Amino acid sequence: MQQPVHDHDSGEGLAPVEEYRDDVLSSVEPLAPIELHLQEALGCVAARDVHAQEDMPSFSSSAMDGFAVRSADVAGASPESPVELRVAGRARIGRRPDATVGGGESIRIDTGAPVPAGADAVVPIEACLSSRETVRVLQPVSPGKHVRPAGEDATPGDLLVPAGRRLGAPELGVLAAAGHARMLVHPRPRVVVISTGDELIDPGQFPQFGEVRDSNAYTIFGAVRETGARPYLAGIVRDDVDAFREAIVSQLVQADAFISSGGVSVGEHDVVKRAFFKRGDVRFTRVAMQPGMPQAFGRIEGKPYFGLPGNPVSVFVSFEMFVRPALMKMAGRRNLERPQVTALLDTDVEGPEGKTVFARVRVTREEDGWHAASTGSRGSNLFTSVARSNGLAVIPPGIDRIEAGSQCRVILFRSLEDLAPCHRTTPRGRSRWGRRTSPPARPSPSAISG
Ligand code: AMP
Ligand code: MG
């Protein structure tokens, strides 16, 4: 199929970003659940509800060092008229108490030790005068005082971890407490990463004239890992159809998904296109976005395949928009969105009118709200600007520029702290890349959404 000739900057004939993203997302499914030990399950998504099957905690225990008593026995106790009780035994942590508490009796108890049968309260040691055989109680206690009852935290049937919850430290603790050493979760997708291009060399090599270090593999490696999935770098493949097919096929058994970069445009060396174009299972789409217009997506032997463009910034942005949410969905995650803020622009941002433009910006939190400033010009080969950014300002189709002083929607792709220290900053009110800005208007205080 020959691509019709279009004026791409007008957006004509291109697929809208949201439509393409929905398309990609609707064709991937959560991976089949497996049981993992809690240590491996951290960061994975629960594939079933877990309910309490027993009381948590399973026994009543003392919250104080003291004497387990019947509260009715000591109702009249005071320093002037202490109540004397026989010490019938001992309750130590981790053991069954060696006696029960009858009328006129008590048991010496430690913090955390099981409360003996017959007792309904604990008198702290400070309110007692004790000898070996007897204790004189100087204070009354109400029923239940200083006792942590069984089932106080959860009782059988209580929902502890819902299906769809990503397991973090609190969930691991709750599952362990409830006796689940293993947990049914969606596994981390295993993602094979391939770089295509005759010009590429490994980062440790020194380039001959015209050679380019393979940076995309590492960008994708980091981005995959940050979603919680497992990247496998399968190396550089030359622009040779058979080599490319062979590289993919040889990785099939260990892959849940494939990502390649480069070779998806219309050039005669565009190996991905030549390898898969004739087969119906990979589609090549021109998406109305900048950067990242050419995209390939489909299935190879049933496994999702993402063919990203070669330009490093395009790789980063298309991973953000399409691959990241897809891998998260495969991992069973339900909220696939990055946090977004409405920020006041300290510089202009601009791009082709017909496309959704994702401009690299540095977002800061100032006294008057969120601010964003461009970190470089638009070229999709200018990757160091990505490393200076923590956000992508979104210029919707139909607009070619948002001026400094206006508000703009910004996707935060990493936390503000992670960008520190900032090696190059844009002074407030002055733009490195735009014109001098007008005094910033007061933005309405905007909360993080999503
Ligand atoms: P392509 O989409 O294959 O035509 O590549 C577009 C541009 O991205 C070219 O300048 C390539 O040299 C560059 N490029 C492709 N793959 C990589 C890579 N793995 N690392 C860095 N640059 C790349
Ligand atoms: Mg190439």
Side-chain angles (χ1 to χ4, degrees):
M1 186 178 75
Q2 194 60 45
Q3 289 286 337
V5 180
H6 287 299
D7 166 15
H8 288 135
D9 281 2
S10 74
E12 189 197 336
L14 308 182
V17 175
E18 288 306 323
E19 208 175 289
Y20 184 70
R21 179 180 158 109
D22 290 349
D23 235 36
V24 169
L25 287 182
S26 64
S27 48
V28 297
E29 291 303 326
L31 296 177
I34 57 170
E35 242 191 30
L36 290 181
H37 190 274
L38 290 188
Q39 288 173 52
E40 274 105 52
L42 177 67
C44 296
V45 174
R48 70 174 184 93
D49 290 341
V50 175
H51 294 93
Q53 284 172 324
E54 54 199 27
D55 277 343
M56 295 173 66
S58 61
F59 58 90
S60 300
S61 64
S62 176
M64 300 287 268
D65 286 347
F67 288 84
V69 300
R70 298 183 167 206
S71 56
D73 282 356
V74 298
S78 70
E80 296 74 39
S81 61
V83 171
E84 189 166 281
L85 302 171
R86 189 174 82 84
V87 177
R90 191 80 173 83
R92 293 180 200 276
I93 198 155
R95 298 211 210 145
R96 185 177 291 283
D98 58 12
T100 57
V101 175
E105 289 182 337
S106 72
I107 279 184
R108 175 85 173 84
I109 192 166
D110 300 333
T111 304
V115 173
D120 69 347
V122 172
V123 185
I125 196 95
E126 300 80 15
C128 299
L129 296 169
S130 63
S131 67
R132 187 178 285 272
E133 268 99 46
T134 63
V135 58
R136 304 173 81 198
V137 176
L138 309 175
Q139 242 178 41
V141 284
S142 49
K145 190 79 181 167
H146 304 310
V147 172
R148 299 168 176 157
E152 187 180 25
D153 205 5
T155 52
D158 284 358
L159 181 60
L160 300 176
V161 176
R165 170 73 60 78
R166 191 177 191 206
L167 303 183
E171 285 75 22
L172 254 48
V174 166
L175 288 167
H180 298 271
R182 303 171 71 79
M183 175 66 186
L184 191 70
V185 294
H186 297 282
R188 301 168 186 280
R190 299 161 304 167
V191 184
V192 168
V193 180
I194 294 174
S195 302
T196 69
D198 283 339
E199 75 282 26
L200 300 179
I201 57 167
D202 278 326
Q205 290 182 296
F206 191 80
Q208 304 293 312
F209 181 80
E211 291 182 332
V212 173
R213 291 195 180 99
D214 173 15
S215 61
N216 290 347
Y218 293 87
T219 305
I220 296 170
F221 177 89
V224 167
R225 177 70 72 76
E226 281 176 10
T227 69
R230 296 190 176 187
Y232 295 93
L233 295 192
I236 298 166
V237 178
R238 301 290 155 216
D239 288 321
D240 174 276
V241 171
D242 292 332
F244 181 65
R245 281 210 193 100
E246 166 60 24
I248 296 242
V249 168
S250 70
Q251 301 287 341
L252 267 172
V253 284
Q254 60 157 334
D256 297 309
F258 293 93
I259 305 173
S260 70
S261 65
V264 294
S265 306
V266 286
E268 60 180 292
H269 295 298
D270 285 316
V271 62
V272 176
K273 208 157 204 181
R274 284 189 288 138
F276 292 125
F277 193 52
K278 291 212 174 66
R279 302 174 51 158
D281 38 13
V282 175
R283 278 191 298 132
F284 292 79
T285 309
R286 302 193 152 262
V287 182
M289 67 192 281
Q290 208 276 322
M293 182 177 68
Q295 298 286 334
F297 175 73
R299 289 186 174 272
I300 297 172
E301 305 293 332
K303 314 221 166 145
Y305 164 75
F306 301 87
L308 308 184
N311 274 310
V313 183
S314 308
V315 163
F316 184 80
V317 173
S318 30
F319 187 97
E320 261 308 299
M321 300 318 294
F322 312 124
V323 188
R324 180 177 183 275
L327 294 180
M328 288 168 70
K329 185 174 175 193
M330 291 173 72
R333 291 173 68 176
R334 298 186 183 183
N335 182 2
L336 309 179
E337 301 293 328
R338 289 282 199 189
Q340 298 186 6
V341 296
T342 302
L344 186 71
L345 289 176
D346 291 338
T347 61
D348 294 356
V349 289
E350 58 185 9
E353 186 172 344
K355 297 179 179 173
T356 304
V357 174
F358 298 98
R360 289 87 86 186
V361 293
R362 189 165 83 85
V363 178
T364 51
R365 177 81 202 172
E366 311 278 339
E367 271 171 20
D368 60 353
W370 297 98
H371 281 249
S374 169
T375 57
S377 47
R378 276 168 38 210
S380 50
N381 52 337
L382 305 174
F383 196 74
T384 66
S385 63
V386 176
R388 285 191 294 271
S389 312
N390 54 4
L392 295 171
V394 183
I395 313 173
I399 299 173
D400 64 351
R401 152 193 294 251
I402 305 180
E403 300 212 333
S406 313
Q407 301 214 341
C408 183
R409 183 162 72 90
V410 182
I411 299 165
L412 290 176
F413 64 78
R414 59 172 153 177
S415 74
L416 305 185
E417 306 88 80
D418 285 349
L419 199 54
C422 293
H423 43 305
R424 232 159 124 190
T425 54
T426 306
R428 285 281 299 283
R430 198 178 327 126
S431 161
R432 288 181 60 92
W433 293 279
R435 60 183 175 71
R436 204 185 155 79
T437 61
S438 48
R442 298 284 119 178
S444 58
S446 47
I448 285 189
S449 64

